[in-house]
Amino acid sequence: MREKILVIGAAGQIGSDLVLELRQRHGNEAVVAADLKDAHPDVMNSGPFEFLNAMDLPALKEIVAQHEITTVYQLVAMLSATAEQHPERGWELNMTTLFHVLNLAKDGHIKKIFWPSSIAVFGPTTPRDNTPQETVMEPNTVYGISKQSGERWCEYYHQKYGVDVRSIRYPGLISYKAAPGGGTTDYAIHIFHEALKNGKYTSFLSENTYLPMMYMPDAIRATLQLMEAPAENINIRSSYNLGGISFSPKEIAAAVAQEVPGFSIDYAPDFRQKIADSWPASIDDTAAQRDWHWQPEWDLNGMVKDMLEKLK
Ligand code: AKB
């Protein structure tokens, strides 16, 4: 049977790039984009689009049946900073949207699922440097608790019902196509916009806060590598650690200053500092390298140059 793909959350940061790459590989008509709101014009104009509230199970089922969907990328989530402001809504959105697709697969309506997890599954008691795949996980944010619980449910649905669900613990993602929405790592995107607009930026994280980060082209490549790998190679059905670049606000500011003469940064840490302090500084992704040959391509300077060029 021909693969037909549905991307839920197509207007979001990952969806905006992922839909276009999937359409390149599978053909425009084979990839249905869906979101509550209009997506990027490139997404809207290059193939089928459906307005969908991912909480609305009957509407989701109808789209799956109508387009004969086989694979779903379920990208809808409330991110770390926003979920701290709306804990119950964050939990409900993040869990309900995952259960909808897990149950569609369990009941035989779809064959394969991608669901994003995050470095937020780790917490203050986790080793911060080169954080292992399997380690202490005591997340203390609503977002982190929802992603950690989601990972457990993914593994459970795989073991108990044979659901082919695959997942990555994304680091902070940096991209230019869609604005980020309510994450703790978003400073590393705001800095580019402010550098080009005002020549300066006030960071909401302190200068030496190291976090794992990744440029979007690497994240999309990783996602597709994982989804295209043979099922027998996928040894982890909770979620894979994924390493890219690790840097601090001070280091990215120095890289931006090399490209934008006169650029300056200052620091005014807010409630997001506490979230960042509970997350890893760098990630061990040996399992992803072993199981589906993961290797990042972008480094800090290359990413900074490319981001500035694209945003200009
Ligand atoms: C966030 O900051 O909440 C996200 C994430 C690391 O999952 N970018």
Side-chain angles (χ1 to χ4, degrees):
M1 194 184 181
R2 193 167 163 246
E3 191 172 18
K4 275 290 294 280
I5 297 168
L6 174 65
V7 179
I8 311 173
Q13 200 199 355
I14 302 171
S16 307
D17 284 283
L18 183 65
V19 168
L20 298 179
E21 188 56 38
L22 284 167
R23 284 184 177 157
Q24 286 276 336
R25 291 178 185 222
H26 296 266
N28 289 347
E29 293 309 309
V31 182
V32 181
D35 208 299
L36 261 181
K37 54 176 195 238
D38 276 352
H40 191 279
D42 292 350
V43 170
M44 301 299 287
N45 298 333
S46 60
F49 181 87
E50 297 279 359
F51 285 102
L52 172 70
N53 174 353
M55 299 285 278
D56 183 345
L57 185 58
L60 171 60
K61 273 187 168 161
E62 202 177 306
I63 290 172
V64 165
Q66 186 197 334
H67 293 275
E68 300 180 327
I69 298 297
T70 59
T71 301
V72 175
Y73 291 73
Q74 198 306 98
L75 306 177
V76 171
M78 194 183 287
L79 296 188
S80 55
T82 313
E84 288 309 291
Q85 316 295 328
H86 309 283
E88 284 181 29
R89 268 176 46 209
W91 171 259
E92 205 193 335
L93 178 73
N94 294 358
M95 300 313 291
T96 307
T97 51
L98 170 61
F99 275 120
H100 282 353
V101 290
L102 285 175
N103 285 326
L104 282 179
K106 170 175 159 260
D107 297 341
H109 299 292
I110 55 174
K111 296 197 176 331
K112 211 175 186 182
I113 299 169
F114 177 82
W115 174 77
S117 186
S118 160
I119 53 164
V121 294
F122 300 114
T125 51
T126 302
R128 285 206 82 217
D129 294 315
N130 215 20
T131 301
Q133 174 70 40
E134 277 143 24
T135 183
V136 180
M137 292 166 104
E138 297 182 317
N140 60 4
T141 62
V142 173
Y143 175 63
I145 296 169
S146 73
K147 288 296 179 188
Q148 220 249 331
S149 310
E151 286 192 8
R152 298 286 89 228
W153 280 110
C154 287
E155 190 174 289
Y156 184 86
Y157 268 65
H158 176 72
Q159 284 176 356
K160 187 109 180 168
Y161 309 119
V163 168
D164 188 356
V165 54
R166 304 176 184 202
S167 175
I168 283 174
R169 291 173 181 153
Y170 287 123
L173 298 179
I174 296 158
S175 66
Y176 54 87
K177 198 156 260 143
T184 302
T185 56
D186 292 0
Y187 89 86
I189 303 173
H190 298 158
I191 192 170
F192 292 101
H193 292 271
E194 293 301 311
L196 290 173
K197 221 165 44 185
N198 302 320
K200 59 184 173 117
Y201 176 61
T202 302
S203 168
F204 58 75
L205 298 184
S206 64
E207 60 184 332
N208 290 321
T209 308
Y210 279 85
L211 286 169
M213 298 279 188
M214 183 173 283
Y215 197 27
M216 190 60 86
D218 266 350
I220 299 296
R221 207 165 41 79
T223 307
L224 297 180
Q225 250 172 273
L226 169 64
M227 287 300 274
E228 287 164 7
E232 60 272 20
N233 290 11
I234 309 300
N235 293 305
I236 292 169
R237 293 296 183 158
S238 51
S239 191
Y240 279 94
N241 273 10
L242 190 71
I245 328 166
S246 179
F247 58 78
S248 63
K250 190 173 164 186
E251 285 179 358
I252 191 175
V256 171
Q258 282 189 6
E259 305 296 321
V260 182
F263 172 74
S264 67
I265 185 164
D266 58 9
Y267 303 92
D270 66 13
F271 73 100
R272 289 167 280 194
Q273 183 66 46
K274 193 157 165 258
I275 302 177
D277 288 342
S278 77
W279 288 354
S282 59
I283 294 287
D284 173 1
D285 62 8
T286 315
Q289 293 176 35
R290 177 199 65 208
D291 289 357
W292 38 277
H293 314 297
W294 167 244
Q295 276 305 325
E297 284 178 357
W298 289 86
D299 62 12
L300 176 59
N301 289 326
M303 175 195 75
V304 165
K305 275 200 182 96
D306 199 62
M307 273 294 283
L308 289 168
E309 258 165 43
K310 297 284 168 31
L311 284 175
K312 269 180 202 158

